[in-house]
Amino acid sequence: MSKQFKNKTCAYCTTPNSSTTGDHVFAREFFDEKHRHNLPKVPACERCNNEKSKLEHYLTTVLPFASRMKDAESDLRQNVARRLRRNHKLDRSLASGMEFRQVERDGTLKKQMTLPFDGSKYHELFALMVRGLIVHHWNLHLPTDYDVFATTATKSGEGFFENYLGLYAEQQISTILGDGMFQYIGKQAVNDHGFSVWKFTFAGGAQVLGDDYLSSSVIYAMSAKKEIIEHLCSHVR
Ligand SMILES: [Zn+2]
């Protein structure tokens, strides 16, 4: 491991001199092998790196089942079974909640396997990724009185976030990773650099089916002072 990511401030918990490794903000496992180079990387402490890996592992195991990506079927065959073999606890919880339902795909109803999906893990991971991206793009660690909120797009939430994304920004990021696997936009407020709004589009429209059967793959996120985030949590979800 190069020195670049050692003894730096952890991008996720912001503890000074705590980093032991370079963490890929977007897990390499989310991408085809040919798209795994040049992914954003930030310093992370061991604890944050492990916590984030658990969330990523959960998602890389669950998401391909519902993905619309053209290679989803081969991914299902080749990778998911292998991942499940390595994680028996997850295997059991997924197997017990597995069911078939009719899903609209390319205009026709098709039978598709769906799995129980813990949306809170999805949102927790995206909140961490936003912290990582703020460090990667703007070299800013969020002050301790700031927090990040991430949520799957809903009809009521969409307008709220889109409104912010339309405003004039101090800095603006727009990136496509892994041949469209992820797209994201980030905007930083002019007067408050810890205030930022993000939009992630995952896998060109992967269907995420959860407890509440969300069918959207758009994630919105906001970093702001804690009191704003608390207010947001009670209104947008
Ligand atoms: Zn940390």
Side-chain angles (χ1 to χ4, degrees):
M1 177 55 60
S2 72
K3 279 186 185 163
Q4 196 188 350
F5 298 107
K6 289 215 163 178
N7 301 317
K8 300 278 165 35
T9 301
C10 172
Y12 304 110
C13 67
T14 71
T15 306
N17 309 317
S18 68
S19 76
T20 55
T21 187
D23 176 74
H24 288 93
V25 177
F26 295 84
R28 296 173 78 243
E29 292 71 28
F30 289 162
F31 302 91
D32 266 9
E33 276 175 33
K34 60 181 179 289
H35 298 302
R36 287 181 178 179
H37 52 88
N38 290 332
L39 294 170
K41 225 170 156 185
V42 292
C45 74
E46 203 173 334
R47 191 174 58 92
C48 290
N49 191 242
N50 289 340
E51 292 294 306
K52 187 163 166 284
S53 295
K54 279 186 211 157
L55 295 171
E56 289 162 349
H57 184 76
Y58 173 79
L59 289 172
T60 51
T61 307
V62 174
L63 282 177
F65 283 97
S67 175
R68 278 172 183 249
M69 290 289 277
K70 55 184 182 299
D71 55 358
E73 277 172 35
S74 69
D75 188 64
L76 180 71
R77 274 203 311 275
Q78 292 163 15
N79 296 325
V80 179
R82 179 163 47 84
R83 288 172 194 148
L84 286 176
R85 275 201 299 277
R86 289 201 308 246
N87 189 337
H88 299 292
K89 197 171 149 217
L90 182 60
D91 189 6
R92 279 195 299 276
S93 85
L94 291 178
S96 65
M98 195 181 284
E99 58 179 291
F100 287 90
R101 59 178 54 227
Q102 300 282 17
V103 175
E104 196 186 318
R105 212 166 180 178
D106 305 326
T108 54
L109 281 177
K110 290 194 174 140
K111 214 173 191 184
Q112 184 174 326
M113 184 162 53
T114 68
L115 291 161
F117 182 73
D118 184 347
S120 67
K121 288 187 172 152
Y122 197 42
H123 299 149
E124 213 181 306
L125 177 62
F126 275 87
L128 285 174
M129 285 161 57
V130 163
R131 286 179 182 273
L133 291 175
I134 290 172
V135 171
H136 175 75
H137 289 296
W138 301 326
N139 198 23
L140 174 76
H141 293 93
L142 284 180
T144 51
D145 58 338
Y146 279 66
D147 209 348
V148 181
F149 170 83
T151 185
T152 312
T154 59
K155 276 209 169 72
S156 58
E158 190 175 20
F160 173 85
F161 287 102
E162 289 292 339
N163 188 32
Y164 275 106
L165 286 167
L167 298 176
Y168 178 76
E170 174 81 25
Q171 299 200 71
Q172 179 172 336
I173 300 295
S174 182
T175 301
I176 296 178
L177 292 176
D179 201 22
M181 188 66 183
F182 271 103
Q183 292 184 47
Y184 64 95
I185 300 168
K187 283 199 170 194
Q188 183 183 42
V190 177
N191 299 320
D192 177 356
H193 289 173
F195 188 103
S196 65
V197 184
W198 299 81
K199 179 181 187 176
F200 298 87
T201 310
F202 177 60
Q207 277 198 322
V208 176
L209 301 166
D211 288 343
D212 42 0
Y213 298 101
L214 296 167
S215 61
S216 171
S217 60
V218 176
I219 298 283
Y220 289 105
M222 178 180 277
S223 71
K225 285 224 164 167
K226 278 182 178 161
E227 58 260 33
I228 298 176
I229 297 298
E230 277 163 25
H231 190 71
L232 199 58
C233 288
S234 56
H235 283 79
V236 172
R237 272 217 221 282

